[in-house]
Amino acid sequence: MSLRLLPVPEGLVGERVDAALARMTGLSRTRIGEMCQEGAVRRGGLALGKSERLAEGDLLEVDLPDPRPADPVPTPVEGMGLIYQDEDIVVVDKPAGIAAHPSMGWEGPDVLGALAAMRIRVATSGAAERQGIVSRLDVGTSGVMIVAKGERAYSVLKRAFREHRVDKTYHALVQGHLDPSSGTIDAPIGRHPSREWKMAIIDGGRESVTHYDVIEAMPGACLARVRLETGRTHQIRVHMSAVGHPCVGDETYGADPAMAQRTGLARQWLHARHLGLAHPITGEQMVFTSQYPDDLVHALEILRT
């Protein structure tokens, strides 16, 4: 553990201790609550309860867990395949349940650790815990993901993603039937005002644009091809929920628990299907594809009957 002095930002004045510190540190709200019980969160030397409110000018004394080492811990990940690699990039087929990179509060496996176990080097550019990562997938989202192996490749790819010059296509199985069958959802996304680890459509959020086309309709659900013009956290999940069609299995964003149980899904039905981009060094146009994993195939078969 290490002692950190954390001034409370203006935007978090009036928030509960657990909610504010979760945003400030990246730890879960549950973990912050445990730290409060242990006396690890103090103000003026006095321990704070998790539900107390923060005031303007507060300086928190927090005994934080030691951060994970900057270098990825080699951790073999069953089911993570390589779609393509050369001296500049590596494209992986990420399973669900795997984070893109290490982060405070996440104790499970991650893509960088899996690559380290395969003895695949990645670029050293970027924050220490996410070196080489140019675009991320949620822990519960499977599919194609690219990592830079060289510094120039990292720089070029980051710019390409930032300037929306990468074709990111997902397949999403959503509840109900999208109407119209092709459309665009344009609504700003930001942090949910009261729920940690959740996003929401809010005034003042970041521009977020999602295009979709229905591929197949089935009783109670439809399979859609989704193309992201922007790349916000949980963008597809938030937008689909906002129009009344959450991804099947995505109970965080309002999916029907009974349908999740019927299909056997323990996560949202969302898969990064295609990634199209210019190679960062050669300029060659490349398209990478990931097949559906078994749990998504099973859910489709159940809902088609």
Side-chain angles (χ1 to χ4, degrees):
M1 304 288 282
S2 57
L3 175 63
R4 293 281 300 279
L5 299 180
L6 302 177
V8 175
E10 181 179 344
L12 294 180
V13 170
E15 291 277 352
R16 287 170 50 115
V17 169
D18 54 358
L21 273 180
R23 293 194 184 188
M24 293 166 69
T25 65
L27 293 172
S28 72
R29 199 162 170 174
T30 299
R31 180 67 184 108
I32 296 295
E34 293 171 349
M35 290 167 58
C36 288
Q37 287 184 327
E38 297 163 0
V41 181
R42 300 173 297 278
R43 178 174 55 196
L46 299 177
L48 284 173
K50 66 179 182 179
S51 61
E52 294 189 51
R53 301 284 175 172
L54 297 175
E56 185 175 358
D58 276 350
L59 179 66
L60 303 183
E61 306 153 25
V62 185
D63 297 323
L64 282 175
D66 293 326
R68 293 181 62 168
D71 291 335
V73 177
T75 308
V77 172
E78 184 178 355
M80 193 183 93
L82 299 183
I83 297 173
Y84 173 86
Q85 71 165 318
D86 58 26
E87 62 182 11
D88 303 300
I89 60 174
V90 56
V91 182
V92 305
D93 198 354
K94 188 187 90 64
I98 309 300
H101 57 75
S103 62
M104 191 175 291
W106 172 253
E107 299 298 331
D110 58 78
V111 170
L112 292 184
L115 290 176
M118 297 178 187
R119 300 183 183 276
I120 295 175
R121 63 170 180 82
V122 300
T124 58
S125 299
E129 74 279 4
R130 62 182 74 174
Q131 293 177 351
I133 298 290
V134 293
S135 181
R136 293 173 288 176
L137 295 178
D138 293 346
V139 170
T141 300
S142 52
V144 60
M145 178 180 154
I146 188 169
V147 180
K149 294 173 70 175
E151 309 310 319
R152 184 181 169 200
Y154 177 89
S155 177
V156 173
L157 285 172
K158 285 293 285 186
R159 185 166 60 251
F161 275 96
R162 186 169 57 249
E163 296 175 354
H164 313 314
R165 291 186 283 108
V166 178
D167 180 18
K168 297 174 287 185
T169 302
Y170 294 72
H171 284 187
L173 184 66
V174 303
Q175 293 181 193
H177 297 142
L178 287 161
D179 184 18
S181 59
S182 295
T184 295
I185 305 169
D186 185 348
I189 291 176
R191 289 285 175 189
H192 193 285
S194 61
R195 298 282 300 278
E196 63 168 327
W197 305 121
K198 191 172 179 180
M199 309 299 286
I201 293 174
I202 59 171
D203 290 337
R206 300 178 70 187
E207 178 190 18
S208 307
V209 181
T210 301
H211 307 283
Y212 70 86
D213 299 281
V214 172
I215 301 170
E216 178 186 353
M218 59 202 74
C222 65
L223 181 65
R225 180 186 302 108
V226 182
R227 185 174 63 82
L228 294 183
E229 190 169 314
T230 54
R232 309 304 176 210
T233 301
H234 298 181
Q235 180 171 323
I236 295 172
R237 300 167 64 191
V238 171
H239 274 174
M240 288 300 170
S241 177
V243 297
H245 300 282
C247 295
V248 174
D250 193 2
E251 296 182 44
T252 298
Y253 287 101
D256 179 9
M259 184 175 284
Q261 184 175 15
R262 178 185 165 204
T263 57
L265 283 173
R267 50 109 169 192
Q268 66 269 11
W269 203 113
L270 182 60
H271 186 69
R273 180 70 163 165
H274 302 290
L275 184 67
L277 74 170
H279 189 282
I281 305 302
T282 68
E284 176 188 358
Q285 289 295 322
M286 310 182 82
V287 177
F288 305 105
T289 301
S290 170
Q291 303 302 316
Y292 300 154
D294 291 344
D295 62 333
L296 301 191
V297 171
H298 176 74
L300 267 180
E301 291 173 346
I302 294 293
L303 291 179
R304 281 170 172 159
T305 58

